[in-house]
Amino acid sequence: MKLSEVLAGKGRRVVTVSAKSSITDAIRTMQAEKVGAVLVPDSGECPVGIFTERDVVRMHADGDRDFDALTVESRMTCSVVVGKLSMTIDEALGLMTQRRFRHLPVLEDGKLVGLVSIGDLVKVKLEETAQEAQALRAYITS
Ligand code: AMP
């Protein structure tokens, strides 16, 4: 299965915040939208940035805690690894596991068309596995 099919199921909406948003705003957006990452599409620093729960944990652990004053663009990851619609779930899972992140924005012709999390992909894999097991059971008992 490909990322295009995963996005067809979950939708293409991506939660974004502006580069000048405070860390507090980004945290509130993640909480309100029930997501673990926000994208920052309008930064002058890089074409697209990403800021995730992990970045909040790192900041807190480092004592970097002025969340109201600090901007997202000052703490986001700028060198974002992206996927494309034709990528398979296994390729995307391999990339995310190897690079140790759980969010993959999906671009097509240079445009952002969605974002998949490792949770989205594991859910689809589990559904696929259950369907295969069901088909095998039906085959064996028929
Ligand atoms: P995550 O596991 O997705 O919460 O992210 C772990 C770290 O990797 C954080 O510092 C994120 O900003 C960064 N990160 C998350 N997704 C990506 C991505 N697709 N490309 C580059 N860095 C990422």
Side-chain angles (χ1 to χ4, degrees):
M1 196 188 263
K2 299 198 182 316
L3 295 189
S4 55
E5 294 161 78
V6 178
L7 289 176
K10 79 162 264 200
R12 291 188 168 203
R13 194 172 80 95
V14 179
V15 180
T16 62
V17 296
S18 70
K20 301 290 179 203
S21 298
S22 67
I23 301 295
T24 301
D25 285 340
I27 292 171
R28 287 202 176 118
T29 301
M30 286 193 261
Q31 171 67 12
E33 300 283 349
K34 299 186 172 50
V35 294
V38 287
L39 286 188
V40 186
D42 58 350
S43 167
E45 303 283 314
C46 48
V48 65
I50 190 163
F51 185 78
T52 79
E53 293 163 333
R54 184 66 57 83
D55 296 309
V56 179
V57 170
R58 185 184 302 121
M59 288 179 70
H60 194 274
D62 290 348
D64 187 18
R65 294 181 197 152
D66 198 355
F67 291 171
D68 288 339
L70 291 166
T71 60
V72 170
E73 74 178 340
S74 71
R75 295 296 184 274
M76 68 190 186
T77 300
C78 225
S79 48
V80 179
V81 178
V82 298
K84 40 187 190 169
L85 290 171
S86 59
M87 194 177 240
T88 65
I89 293 184
D90 287 347
E91 285 169 340
L93 279 172
L95 182 63
M96 292 159 100
T97 305
Q98 187 198 357
R99 304 291 291 265
R100 295 177 185 277
F101 51 68
R102 296 163 296 170
H103 301 89
L104 190 66
V106 183
L107 262 67
E108 202 63 19
D109 298 327
K111 284 178 86 175
L112 184 65
V113 293
L115 181 146
V116 291
S117 73
I118 213 154
D120 298 326
L121 302 185
V122 168
K123 179 171 174 277
V124 175
K125 283 296 274 187
L126 287 174
E127 285 164 4
E128 263 185 2
T129 307
Q131 276 168 16
E132 276 169 23
Q134 168 93 32
L136 280 173
R137 269 196 299 273
Y139 177 71
I140 290 163
T141 55
S142 66

